[in-house]
C-alpha cells in the first residue's frame, strides 16, 4: 500500500481514464498500461501491488479496452477480494468480478451443475473435521484432537495436489511430508472420508475446485461458455497457487494468454498446504514473450525496516532466493529495529506488554500495534500479559466482524433510522452523520466509555465502537454523506467481509499476518527451535521459515521490536540462542552469533531489555515442570487445558461453592481496581483453584495463571477463601 492510498479511505472517483494513472510511480504505471498479452508482475512487500493491478483493470475499463464483465480477478482471501472490489469501485470500474478461487469456482459450479450433472449441487460442509473424526471411527483409528487436525490437513494437501488415497503414501514421501501417522493408515482414513462424503451427499471446499475442473475438462461446451464470459484474468499472490488452482486457471484460459499474474517468491509461506512458487518462477518459460515488471519501491516501511528485510533475504538459498527483490524504501528514516533477550517466555510476554503500554500512553493507537508469533500456542502467554495490564487486544482469526450478532442488529437499527430520516426522534439533536450513528447505536449498547469488565459485554461494545469509528472516517472522506449512504457502504463491506478495524492490539501468527501491516510490530519468540521451527529439517523447510520471518519483518511500517527468550519456563536453563536468521544482522551478533544475546544500541529502551547491562533484575519466578493432566497423566499442550491442569473431557472434581465465592471475590477486586475481571484471574484459573483447593502458597503458585505478582497481591485472599475463611472487606461497599 502506498502513501497515497493512506490519504483517504474513500477517495473521489477519477474523472477519466488518464486520471486513473495519476499518482502511480513509473513501474506501477507500466503495469497499469500493459493490458494485452501475458504480464508478470514481481512485486515486493509494500510496493503497492494491489494499487498497480486495480489501476490496471480500472484503466482498461475506463479506456474502453476491457469490458468489466469480461474480467475475472482472483486472489486467496475474502478480505483481499473485498479490498480489490472496493478499490475498483472507487476507481469507477464497477462490474468487475474479484473473487477467491473457491468463490469463483463455486459460483460456476452452482450455475452449471444442473446442466452438467443434473439435480441440485450437493451441500457444502463448512468444516470437515467432524467428517474426518467419523471416518476415523469407521476405520477404528484412534485420534486425539491434535492428530485429528493433522490428519485433516493431510487430506486437504492431498486434494489440492490432486493425490488420490491410493497414491498418498508415495506422494507424501516424495514431498518430504512430516506426517503424523503411518502413511498407510492415513491413506485408509482419506479413502474412508471420501466414501463418507459420498454416502452423505456432501462436498468440501477442495471438492469445489476438483468438481469445477472435472466439469470444464469433460464438457467442452461449458468450458467454452465460461471462456466466452471471462476473457481477461488477473491472479494476485500467484506464488501461493496450488497445482489444483493452476489447473483450474489453465482451463479458464483455454488457448489464450490474456493473463496478468502478481507475486513474490520471497513470500511463499504456505507450501505445507500445497502452494508452490514454481508457477510464478516458470511463468516466463511458459510465456516467452511475457511483459515482466518489477516493483521494488517500498512505500510501507522505513529504510531501517527495509534494510533488515533485505538482509534476511541476502542470506537465503534456493530457487526462490535466486529471484529475490531488493527493496528500496520510499519513506523517511525511522528508529532502528530493537533486539531484546529475556530470561524466559513469560518474561518476554510481560516485557512486550509493558512496552505496548508505553506506546499507548504516548498516543500510538492500539489498532496500529501487533504481536506476531510463530505458532498459535504462543498466543495464550501474550493474551495473559496484555490482560494483566488491562490492554485491549484482538485475536486474528476470530468470528468475522459482520457475522457478529450485535453488528447485524446494529445494521438493522441504522437501516431503520435511515428509512425514517429526520422523522426519527433519536436523531432530533444529531447534527451530523457521526452523531446520528452514535445516537442510533446508543440504543444498541454503545456508550462513550467502554464498560468495566470483559467477556461478551465488552466484545459487543468493541464491535459497536468500530462502527462509530467507521462512520467518522466515512463522514470525513465524504462530507455530504447521509445515513443512507453509510448503510449502503456497510452493506457493501458486509458482502465483501471488509471489516473496520477493532481498537485493540492484534495478536496473530506470522502466517495469518500475511497481507496486513501495522505501525509497530513485535516479533516474539525469534529463537532457534521456534524460528526456524524445530521440525523444519530440510533446506527447503528452513528457507521457508526464513521467508516467514521476512513476511513478519515487512509487516512493520515504522517500528520493529524483535525478541527471544533464553529459556522456555521460569528458572529453566538459559540454553536458547537467537535465530540463526539474525546472525550478522542484529548488532553484536558477528561470528559468535550472539550466544549471550547482546542487545544493540537500536534496541528497546533499557528498562525493557531482558539482560542488557544496567537492566532491572527480573524477579525469580516459580519453576514449573511440563504440564500433565492430573487425572489421566497426558501431557497438556492446549493453553486452556494447561490452566485447568487436566484435559477438558477428563472428569472435574471442582468445588462449585468455592468457585462461586472466588468469582464474587474477583468481581469485587475488579471493581475496586477499575479493571476487567479477567485481569484479576481468568475463569479457567479460578476453576483450577476450585479443583485443587490449595492450602499454601507453593500449591497456589504451581497453578498456571498465578505468577509472582498475582501471588503477592492476591495469594492471601485466595488461600483464605479456599480455607473457608472470611476475607476482610468482602462485606464493604464502595
Amino acid at each position: 500500500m502506498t502513501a497515497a492510498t493512506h490519504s483517504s479511505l474513500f477517495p473521489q472517483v477519477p474523472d477519466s481514464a488518464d486520471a486513473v494513472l495519476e499518482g502511480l510511480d513509473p513501474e506501477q504505471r507500466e503495469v497499469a498500461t500493459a493490458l494485452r498479452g501475458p504480464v508478470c508482475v514481481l512485486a515486493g512487500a509494500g510496493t503497492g501491488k494491489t494499487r498497480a493491478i486495480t489501476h490496471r483493470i480500472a484503466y482498461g475499463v475506463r479506456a474502453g479496452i476491457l469490458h468489466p464483465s469480461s474480467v475475472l480477478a482472483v486472489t486467496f482471501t475474502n478480505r483481499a477480494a473485498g479490498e480489490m472490489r472496493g478499490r475498483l469501485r472507487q476507481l469507477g470500474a464497477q462490474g468487475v468480478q474479484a473473487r477467491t478461487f473457491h468463490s469463483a469456482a463455486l459460483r460456476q459450479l452452482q450455475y452449471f451443475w444442473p446442466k452438467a450433472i443434473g439435480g441440485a449441487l450437493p451441500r457444502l460442509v463448512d468444516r470437515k473435521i467432524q467428517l474426518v473424526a467419523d471416518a476415523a471411527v469407521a476405520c477404528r483409528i484412534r485420534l486425539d484432537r491434535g492428530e485429528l487436525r493433522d490428519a485433516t490437513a493431510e487430506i486437504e494437501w492431498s486434494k489440492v495436489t490432486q493425490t488420490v488415497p491410493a497414491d498418498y503414501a508415495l506422494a507424501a514421501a516424495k514431498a518430504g511430508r512430516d506426517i503424523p501417522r503411518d502413511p498407510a493408515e492415513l491413506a485408509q482414513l482419506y479413502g474412508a472420508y471420501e466414501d463418507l462424503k459420498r454416502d452423505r451427499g456432501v462436498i468440501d471446499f477442495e471438492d469445489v475446485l476438483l468438481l469445477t475442473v472435472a466439469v470444464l475438462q469433460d464438457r467442452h461446451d461449458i468450458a467454452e461458455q465460461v471462456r466466452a464470459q471471462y476473457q481477461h484474468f488477473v491472479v494476485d499472490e500467484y506464488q501461493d497457487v496450488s497445482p489444483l488452482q493452476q489447473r483450474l486457471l489453465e482451463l479458464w484460459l483455454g488457448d489464450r494468454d490474456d493473463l496478468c499474474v502478481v507475486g513474490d517468491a520471497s513470500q511463499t509461506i504456505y507450501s505445507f498446504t500445497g502452494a508452490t512458487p514454481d508457477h510464478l518462477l516458470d511463468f516466463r518459460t511458459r510465456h516467452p514473450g511475457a511483459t515482466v515488471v518489477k516493483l521494488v519501491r517500498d512505500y510501507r516501511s522505513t529504510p531501517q525496516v527495509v534494510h533488515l528485510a533485505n538482509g534476511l533475504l541476502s542470506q537465503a538459498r534456493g530457487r526462490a532466493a535466486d529471484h529475490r527483490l531488493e527493496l528500496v524504501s520510499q519513506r523517511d528514516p525511522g528508529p532502528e529495529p530493537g533486539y531484546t533477550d529475556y530470561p524466559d517466555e513469560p518474561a518476554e510476554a510481560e516485557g512486550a506488554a509493558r512496552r505496548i503500554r508505553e506506546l499507548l500512553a504516548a498516543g500510538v493507537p492500539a489498532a496500529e500495534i501487533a504481536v506476531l508469533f510463530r505458532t498459535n500456542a504462543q498466543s495464550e502467554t501474550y493474551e495473559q500479559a496484555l490482560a494483566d495490564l488491562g490492554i485491549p487486544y484482538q485475536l486474528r482469526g476470530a468470528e468475522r466482524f459482520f457475522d457478529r450478532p450485535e453488528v447485524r442488529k446494529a445494521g438493522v437499527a441504522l437501516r431503520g433510522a435511515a428509512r425514517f430520516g429526520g422523522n426519527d426522534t433519536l436523531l432530533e439533536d444529531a447534527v451530523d452523520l457521526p452523531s446520528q450513528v452514535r445516537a442510533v447505536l446508543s440504543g444498541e449498547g454503545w456508550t462513550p466509555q467502554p464498560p468495566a469488565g470483559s467477556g461478551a459485554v465488552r466484545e459487543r461494545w468493541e464491535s459497536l465502537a468500530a462502527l462509530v469509528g467507521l462512520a467518522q472516517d466515512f463522514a470525513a472522506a465524504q462530507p455530504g454523506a447521509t445515513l443512507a449512504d453509510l448503510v449502503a457502504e456497510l452493506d457493501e463491506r458486509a458482502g465483501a467481509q471488509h471489516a473496520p478495524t477493532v481498537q485493540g492490539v492484534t495478536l496473530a501468527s506470522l502466517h495469518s499476518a500475511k497481507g496486513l501491516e501495522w505501525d509497530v510490530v513485535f516479533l516474539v519468540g525469534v529463537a532457534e527451535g521456534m524460528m526456524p521451527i524445530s521440525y523444519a529439517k530440510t533446506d527447503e523447510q528452513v528457507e521457508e521459515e526464513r521467508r516467514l520471518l521476512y513476511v513478519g519483518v515487512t509487516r512493520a511500517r515504522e517500528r520493529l521490536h524483535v525478541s527471544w527468550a533464553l529459556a522456555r519456563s521460569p528458572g529453566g536453563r538459559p540454553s536458547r540462542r537467537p535465530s540463526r536468521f539474525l546472525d550478522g544482522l542484529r548488532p553484536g551478533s558477528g561470528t559468535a552469533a550472539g550466544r549471550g544475546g547482546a542487545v544493540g544500541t537500536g534496541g528497546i529502551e533499557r528498562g525493557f531489555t531482558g539482560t542488557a547491562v544496567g537492566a532491572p533484575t527480573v524477579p525469580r519466578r516459580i519453576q514449573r515442570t511440563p504440564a500433565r493432566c492430573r487425572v489421566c497423566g497426558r501431557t497438556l499442550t492446549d493453553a486452556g487445558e494447561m490452566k485447568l491442569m487436566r484435559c477438558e473431557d477428563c472428569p472435574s472434581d471442582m468445588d462449585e461453592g468455592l468457585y462461586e465465592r472466588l468469582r464474587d471475590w474477583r468481581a469485587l477486586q475488579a471493581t475496586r481496581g477499575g479493571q476487567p475481571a479477567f485481569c484479576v484471574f481468568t475463569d479457567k484459573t479460578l476453576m483450577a483453584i476450585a479443583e485443587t483447593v490449595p492450602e499454601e502458597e507453593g500449591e497456589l503458585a504451581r497453578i498456571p495463571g498465578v505468577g509472582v505478582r498475582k501471588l503477592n497481591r492476591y495469594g492471601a485472599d485466595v488461600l483464605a477463601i479456599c480455607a473457608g475463611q472470611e476475607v476482610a472487606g468482602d462485606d464493604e461497599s464502595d
Side-chain angles (χ1 to χ4, degrees):
M1 183 180 295
T2 70
T5 63
H6 285 299
S7 62
S8 173
L9 294 174
F10 307 97
Q12 297 296 318
V13 175
D15 58 10
S16 67
D18 288 340
V20 172
L21 302 178
E22 293 177 3
L24 299 182
D25 68 32
E27 293 79 23
Q28 291 171 344
R29 181 180 285 260
E30 185 179 356
V31 172
T33 54
L35 296 175
R36 295 296 185 190
V39 178
C40 179
V41 182
L42 302 176
T47 58
K49 67 179 179 64
T50 305
R51 178 177 173 82
I53 59 176
T54 52
H55 280 68
R56 176 183 186 270
I57 295 170
Y59 176 70
V61 169
R62 299 291 297 276
I65 299 171
L66 304 179
H67 193 278
S69 63
S70 72
V71 180
L72 178 59
V74 290
T75 187
F76 284 81
T77 67
N78 286 321
R79 179 186 177 280
E83 180 183 359
M84 193 176 292
R85 285 195 295 271
R87 292 198 190 192
L88 288 169
R89 187 176 70 251
Q90 292 161 7
L91 292 170
Q94 295 91 339
V96 173
Q97 292 293 315
R99 298 179 174 273
T100 64
F101 270 101
H102 283 88
S103 173
L106 179 60
R107 192 163 181 259
Q108 293 174 18
L109 197 60
Q110 289 171 329
Y111 182 81
F112 289 112
W113 187 268
K115 177 179 179 180
I117 309 298
L121 181 69
R123 180 174 63 87
L124 178 64
V125 293
D126 290 332
R127 298 176 69 249
K128 60 172 65 68
I129 198 162
Q130 185 57 54
L131 275 171
V132 177
D134 293 345
V137 171
C139 295
R140 298 183 178 180
I141 298 174
R142 292 179 60 87
L143 298 174
D144 63 27
R145 276 173 292 182
E147 291 172 326
L148 194 58
R149 287 193 295 268
D150 289 342
T152 302
E154 286 305 299
I155 291 174
E156 291 174 349
W157 173 82
S158 299
K159 299 185 77 165
V160 300
T161 56
Q162 299 176 277
T163 302
V164 298
D167 297 336
Y168 168 76
L170 182 62
K174 184 177 180 182
R177 301 286 291 178
D178 186 12
I179 56 179
R181 308 277 295 197
D182 177 74
E185 199 172 49
L186 282 172
Q188 179 191 8
L189 178 63
Y190 178 16
Y193 167 79
E194 292 297 310
D195 292 340
L196 196 59
K197 282 199 295 97
R198 194 176 303 110
D199 293 342
R200 296 183 181 180
V202 298
I203 59 175
D204 61 28
F205 276 100
E206 289 72 38
D207 290 331
V208 171
L209 300 184
L210 285 164
L211 290 170
T212 305
V213 165
V215 168
L216 295 178
Q217 285 181 159
D218 295 344
R219 292 291 300 267
H220 296 292
D221 57 330
I222 292 176
E224 288 307 314
Q225 190 172 343
V226 171
R227 291 165 191 161
Q229 170 70 53
Y230 297 115
Q231 299 165 22
H232 309 276
F233 295 86
V234 177
V235 184
D236 194 12
E237 304 288 1
Y238 192 56
Q239 77 279 351
D240 289 332
V241 296
S242 68
L244 179 56
Q245 289 165 333
Q246 176 64 22
R247 179 59 185 144
L248 177 59
L249 178 61
E250 291 168 354
L251 287 166
W252 282 340
L253 277 166
D255 58 1
R256 300 164 302 175
D257 62 0
D258 205 343
L259 169 67
C260 174
V261 300
V262 188
D264 179 8
S266 296
Q267 295 188 69
T268 305
I269 58 173
Y270 297 110
S271 66
F272 61 92
T273 68
T276 171
D278 289 345
H279 305 300
L280 174 66
L281 299 177
D282 293 338
F283 189 84
R284 283 169 288 185
T285 301
R286 297 196 310 275
H287 304 281
T291 299
V292 178
V293 184
K294 294 183 179 181
L295 302 182
V296 296
R297 300 175 196 249
D298 188 323
Y299 297 93
R300 175 189 299 158
S301 304
T302 63
Q304 287 74 14
V305 173
V306 168
H307 178 70
L308 176 58
N310 286 336
L312 282 171
L313 292 188
S314 70
Q315 301 176 0
R317 300 291 180 269
R319 192 170 183 223
D322 293 339
H323 295 80
R324 64 181 178 269
L325 300 169
E326 186 82 8
L327 300 179
V328 181
S329 176
Q330 306 299 297
R331 296 195 54 179
D332 293 334
E336 292 289 339
Y339 301 88
T340 313
D341 62 15
Y342 291 92
D344 53 64
E345 290 181 0
E348 183 181 9
E350 290 170 7
R354 290 194 301 268
R355 184 70 184 97
I356 289 170
R357 182 173 60 182
E358 273 204 345
L359 290 167
L360 295 176
V364 178
E368 290 300 341
I369 303 173
V371 179
L372 307 182
F373 33 75
R374 175 60 179 84
T375 69
N376 286 319
Q378 295 168 269
S379 168
E380 172 70 15
T381 306
Y382 290 89
E383 290 180 59
Q384 186 66 55
L386 292 173
D388 284 349
L389 296 183
I391 298 171
Y393 64 85
Q394 56 177 334
L395 274 171
R396 182 84 185 144
E399 184 180 24
R400 296 190 298 185
F401 183 84
F402 287 103
D403 289 342
R404 297 176 189 174
E406 66 271 18
V407 174
R408 292 200 300 267
K409 191 177 177 185
V412 171
L414 290 170
R415 190 171 290 104
R419 189 179 303 117
F420 285 106
N423 297 321
D424 193 321
T425 56
L426 276 173
L427 307 182
E428 287 179 352
D429 299 324
V431 297
D432 56 17
L433 177 59
S435 61
Q436 290 175 350
V437 172
R438 289 193 291 267
V440 173
L441 297 188
S442 64
E444 303 300 320
W446 177 83
T447 55
Q449 297 298 321
S454 61
V457 173
R458 178 61 183 249
E459 289 175 2
R460 283 196 296 272
W461 184 89
E462 295 284 2
S463 297
L464 297 176
L467 290 174
V468 171
L470 177 63
Q472 292 168 341
D473 291 338
F474 188 67
Q478 306 281 355
T482 65
L483 194 56
D485 295 329
L486 177 65
V487 168
E489 175 68 19
L490 293 177
D491 288 343
E492 178 68 28
R493 283 173 170 248
Q497 286 299 332
H498 185 189
T501 302
V502 175
Q503 288 298 315
V505 174
T506 299
L507 297 178
S509 70
L510 287 166
H511 282 100
S512 63
K514 179 76 166 62
L516 303 176
E517 57 188 75
W518 297 269
D519 286 346
V520 185
V521 168
F522 288 79
L523 284 175
V524 300
V526 189
E528 286 292 310
M530 192 60 72
M531 181 58 67
I533 198 76
S534 57
Y535 51 76
K537 303 297 185 184
T538 67
D539 290 344
E540 291 81 2
Q541 291 168 340
V542 169
E543 286 305 313
E544 181 146 336
E545 293 288 299
R546 187 194 305 275
R547 295 194 295 269
L548 188 57
L549 182 58
Y550 171 80
V551 167
V553 167
T554 55
R555 299 311 95 194
R557 297 191 193 106
E558 298 172 6
R559 306 182 204 181
L560 179 66
H561 302 284
V562 184
S563 64
W564 58 91
L566 301 178
R568 178 176 181 181
S569 303
R573 188 166 64 91
S575 58
R576 287 182 175 176
R577 55 154 298 198
S579 170
R580 73 190 74 169
F581 300 147
L582 299 177
D583 290 353
L585 299 177
R586 62 185 181 86
S589 57
T591 56
R595 288 281 179 182
V599 180
T601 57
I604 300 175
E605 284 78 355
R606 286 293 184 183
F608 300 99
T609 56
T611 58
V613 176
T617 303
V618 177
R620 183 173 176 80
R621 295 170 155 269
I622 304 300
Q623 184 172 1
R624 300 191 179 103
T625 56
R628 295 185 181 278
C629 175
R630 55 190 170 78
V631 180
C632 69
R634 183 176 71 86
T635 299
L636 302 176
T637 55
D638 178 78
E641 291 182 343
M642 290 170 70
K643 285 204 169 189
L644 287 175
M645 299 190 297
R646 64 171 172 82
C647 304
E648 287 275 9
D649 48 6
C650 277
S652 167
D653 52 357
M654 183 175 73
D655 183 330
E656 297 285 352
L658 173 58
Y659 178 64
E660 290 305 319
R661 291 195 299 276
L662 287 168
R663 282 175 59 89
D664 291 343
W665 165 84
R666 181 183 67 172
L668 182 61
Q669 295 296 323
T671 300
R672 288 175 174 170
Q675 61 183 332
F678 67 81
C679 290
V680 180
F681 286 119
T682 63
D683 284 345
K684 288 196 173 176
T685 297
L686 291 187
M687 290 173 67
I689 294 171
E691 290 181 355
T692 57
V693 194
E695 297 180 356
E696 49 88 22
E697 281 195 354
E699 293 178 17
L700 179 59
R702 282 192 289 273
I703 295 175
V706 182
V708 172
R709 186 180 62 80
K710 291 190 177 183
L711 184 66
N712 292 336
R713 185 172 183 181
Y714 303 123
D717 279 7
V718 171
L719 291 173
I721 295 170
C722 289
Q725 301 169 6
E726 291 293 328
V727 177
D730 275 356
D731 57 350
E732 298 175 4
S733 59
D734 292 331

